[in-house]
Amino acid sequence: DTAVSQTPKYLVTQMGNDKSIKCEQNLGHDTMYWYKQDSKKFLKIMFSYNNKELIINETVPNRFSPKSPDKAHLNLHINSLELGDSAVYFCASSQGLAGGLVYNEQFFGPGTRLTVL
Amino acid sequence: DQQVKQNSPSLSVQEGRISILNCDYTNSMFDYFLWYKKYPAEGPTFLISISSIKDKNEDGRFTVFLNKSAKHLSLHIVPSQPGDSAVYFCAAPLRGSQGNLIFGKGTKLSVKP
């Protein structure tokens, strides 16, 4: 029973298209995240979201937008895809901050490999 | 500007020996650190963490050491097993965020039988 799932696993599309990647977690967590792993293998935070706050990494183009229909889902919409968007995108979830010096671990999905042609 | 650095892209170790993976950071505001392990075509999985109020945390074969003055941490795996072969990422949550993780570039560990 997968804790954090993403669909699709692979996505190949043309430049200029609009696409979405879905993410679902069944852990009851209240915070979800999107990370991008680029061709140089850097894993970088794109967004974090709970029911109160969306934090956007300032380097993320506004063509990328997270959409959360409910607490268990955080989908990633990408408009006008560009070649440089090709990467592996990981969704993650956690119980969020426990306060003080305790951070709860994040559970990652298996990733979605996006290829823009 | 990399706030978390893993300067060794790869490490090869014989089965049964110790693996030492290193990580340096530049942001003195970091107060918690995590190690993640990643197999090909899978997402990262949490391995072990350490708070800045400690200098060591141990979990079975895995021990993380933190040297705050040097802004350096290391992950020790003893004894190393072939199943430990994976990419290991060092990460730290960004303060003021919702635990958004800043990752190092990763070190690929190969444990040879």
Side-chain angles (χ1 to χ4, degrees):
Chain A
D1 191 18
T2 307
V4 182
S5 59
Q6 296 178 228
T7 53
K9 191 166 176 64
Y10 299 96
L11 181 55
V12 181
T13 188
Q14 299 287 331
M15 273 176 54
N17 284 350
D18 303 337
K19 289 293 178 186
S20 296
I21 305 172
K22 295 185 178 180
C23 177
E24 177 181 1
Q25 54 96 3
N26 61 7
L27 298 166
H29 289 162
D30 55 18
T31 305
M32 296 183 73
Y33 311 81
W34 276 103
Y35 290 85
K36 177 182 179 181
Q37 186 177 33
D38 61 23
S39 58
K40 295 181 180 178
K41 305 301 181 187
F42 271 111
L43 260 168
K44 291 184 180 176
I45 182 71
M46 299 177 71
F47 306 98
S48 62
Y49 181 77
N50 64 23
N51 59 0
K52 298 175 186 174
E53 189 177 14
L54 170 67
I55 297 183
I56 303 172
N57 184 320
E58 61 189 16
T59 66
V60 175
N62 57 16
R63 298 181 294 103
F64 290 77
S65 58
K67 297 278 195 303
S68 182
D70 55 58
K71 189 174 148 178
H73 296 84
L74 184 66
N75 303 325
L76 182 64
H77 295 264
I78 316 170
N79 295 326
S80 303
L81 277 156
E82 300 177 357
L83 293 176
D85 298 333
S86 295
V88 182
Y89 292 85
F90 290 98
C91 176
S93 74
S94 80
Q95 199 48 45
L97 302 181
L101 294 177
V102 179
Y103 295 86
N104 290 299
E105 65 182 272
Q106 293 181 21
F107 292 79
F108 283 78
T112 295
R113 181 174 291 278
L114 171 66
T115 303
V116 182
L117 303 175
Chain B
D1 179 31
Q2 283 181 255
Q3 298 184 68
V4 178
K5 300 178 185 180
Q6 293 176 259
N7 293 320
S8 298
S10 63
L11 175 67
S12 184
V13 170
Q14 206 64 34
E15 181 179 6
R17 307 295 286 267
I18 184 170
S19 295
I20 300 176
L21 298 111
N22 293 305
C23 177
D24 297 293
Y25 61 96
T26 58
N27 188 338
S28 57
M29 298 296 287
F30 287 152
D31 55 14
Y32 199 79
F33 302 90
L34 306 94
W35 284 93
Y36 280 81
K37 176 179 177 179
K38 185 182 180 303
Y39 292 116
E42 294 184 10
T45 55
F46 170 74
L47 192 58
I48 192 169
S49 61
I50 188 166
S51 162
S52 61
I53 62 174
K54 296 184 175 181
D55 54 19
K56 177 182 174 181
N57 188 25
E58 192 172 350
D59 183 2
R61 296 186 297 115
F62 303 91
T63 303
V64 57
F65 295 92
L66 175 62
N67 182 335
K68 282 182 291 184
S69 60
K71 294 193 177 69
H72 176 83
L73 60 156
S74 60
L75 173 68
H76 293 215
I77 307 174
V78 181
S80 301
Q81 299 173 354
D84 296 330
S85 297
V87 178
Y88 289 80
F89 290 96
C90 173
L94 198 60
R95 291 191 80 177
S97 71
Q98 300 186 74
N100 297 358
L101 292 174
I102 307 298
F103 281 90
K105 201 172 176 180
T107 297
K108 184 176 182 179
L109 173 65
S110 299
V111 180
K112 301 189 182 308

